[in-house]
Amino acid sequence: MTRLILKQLLLIAIAALASLTVILKGSIAQEIQTIIPNQDNTMIESATGALSNGQGPMLFVGRTNQPQDSIRRGVISFDIANKIPAGSKITSVTLQLTLEQTPSKNQSIELHRLLKNWGEGKSFHPGGQGDRSTEGDATWIHTFYDSQLWSNPGGDFSEKVSAATTVGAQGVYTWESTSEMVADVQEWLDSPDDNFGWLILGNETISKTVKGFASSENPEPSAQPQLNVAYIEK
């Protein structure tokens, strides 16, 4: 009887081990890739598109104080197709930005998928005022200064919010993964020609809501924007 029980236990153990082996062989490893922007820019409200800030150390969003009382919008993109293997399935996406200037109270900052290609020129200003637009800059009216235009001043972007988070004091903020962010990045991987990145939209309803985030040109590498993409390679 004892031998019979031992034999049965041994068979059960062998079956369990075989099942575990199948599970392990069938499991798919999930990879994580951290990507920095291939370009970013601050678009500054202007009827002529005279101002931009392609090389500035910060991206500004929101509305400034009086007397200018003008809007700032950030644009940012990441080269997904050259960082993630073609055919992969995107499972999670988070965006990390470092807030460096914050004269206003807590504000909700949204990501919206851009619908047109745009550029980053050589304009530079250390703050939010911007500088004279240069060739290739995204401006309030131009996708590429000064020959190509947005269909709508301030940029062409989806009305759907891909993600939003509330920012207040200086520090690092994360836009946590949403189904919309995952869908955006999946589309950019599958159709690289449609990858125009996101528009970063602040509170534009009242003045003194502007926020300044470190850009990809920021001298502190750890403060630069980071897109963290989890995926399964097929």
Side-chain angles (χ1 to χ4, degrees), residues 190-203:
D190 297 340
S191 304
D193 290 344
D194 295 329
N195 180 5
F196 311 131
W198 287 303
L199 181 137
I200 308 173
L201 189 70
N203 181 1

Side-chain angles (χ1 to χ4, degrees), residues 61-123:
V61 302
R63 186 181 287 274
T64 64
N65 60 346
Q66 300 289 351
Q68 293 86 7
D69 193 30
S70 64
I71 296 171
R72 305 289 187 269
R73 290 176 178 174
V75 285
I76 190 168
S77 67
F78 301 85
D79 190 355
I80 304 299
N82 282 328
K83 299 295 183 180
I84 307 294
S88 297
K89 179 182 179 181
I90 307 301
T91 59
S92 176
V93 178
T94 61
L95 176 67
Q96 178 180 298
L97 296 179
T98 300
L99 184 63
E100 293 197 332
Q101 282 195 11
T102 176
S104 57
K105 298 179 181 179
N106 287 358
Q107 304 293 343
S108 178
I109 309 297
E110 300 175 349
L111 303 179
H112 292 258
R113 182 169 54 87
L114 282 158
L115 305 177
K116 269 191 176 182
N117 199 13
W118 52 275
E120 177 190 75
K122 296 181 179 179
S123 56

Side-chain angles (χ1 to χ4, degrees), residues 40-42 44 50-60 64 68 72 100-101 120-134 137 212-215 217-219:
D40 51 19
N41 205 331
T42 297
I44 299 165
L51 297 172
S52 187
N53 200 2
Q55 300 298 314
M58 283 185 283
L59 294 169
F60 289 88
T64 64
Q68 293 86 7
R72 305 289 187 269
E100 293 197 332
Q101 282 195 11
E120 177 190 75
K122 296 181 179 179
S123 56
F124 171 84
H125 192 279
Q129 295 181 14
D131 196 6
R132 180 176 297 180
S133 300
T134 65
D137 263 324
F213 298 95
S215 73
E217 285 79 23
N218 195 278

Side-chain angles (χ1 to χ4, degrees), residues 25-63:
K25 286 183 177 180
S27 65
I28 301 175
Q30 183 169 265
E31 307 283 346
I32 298 178
Q33 181 72 260
T34 298
I35 310 172
I36 62 172
N38 62 309
Q39 61 177 4
D40 51 19
N41 205 331
T42 297
M43 302 191 303
I44 299 165
E45 186 178 22
S46 165
T48 63
L51 297 172
S52 187
N53 200 2
Q55 300 298 314
M58 283 185 283
L59 294 169
F60 289 88
V61 302
R63 186 181 287 274

Side-chain angles (χ1 to χ4, degrees), residues 116-223:
K116 269 191 176 182
N117 199 13
W118 52 275
E120 177 190 75
K122 296 181 179 179
S123 56
F124 171 84
H125 192 279
Q129 295 181 14
D131 196 6
R132 180 176 297 180
S133 300
T134 65
E135 183 179 0
D137 263 324
T139 78
W140 195 255
I141 64 171
H142 301 96
T143 54
F144 296 89
Y145 184 84
D146 61 352
S147 59
Q148 300 182 47
L149 301 173
W150 297 108
S151 299
N152 302 286
D156 301 329
F157 56 93
S158 172
E159 293 184 1
K160 181 182 292 185
V161 178
S162 292
T165 196
T166 299
V167 305
Q170 292 179 344
V172 178
Y173 290 88
T174 300
W175 282 253
E176 298 292 350
S177 187
T178 65
S179 58
E180 289 81 8
M181 289 180 77
V182 169
D184 290 345
V185 175
Q186 185 72 63
E187 180 180 351
W188 299 339
L189 175 63
D190 297 340
S191 304
D193 290 344
D194 295 329
N195 180 5
F196 311 131
W198 287 303
L199 181 137
I200 308 173
L201 189 70
N203 181 1
E204 301 173 354
T205 60
I206 57 175
S207 62
K208 298 178 69 174
T209 59
V210 71
K211 298 284 187 181
F213 298 95
S215 73
S216 60
E217 285 79 23
N218 195 278
E220 179 53 57
S222 64

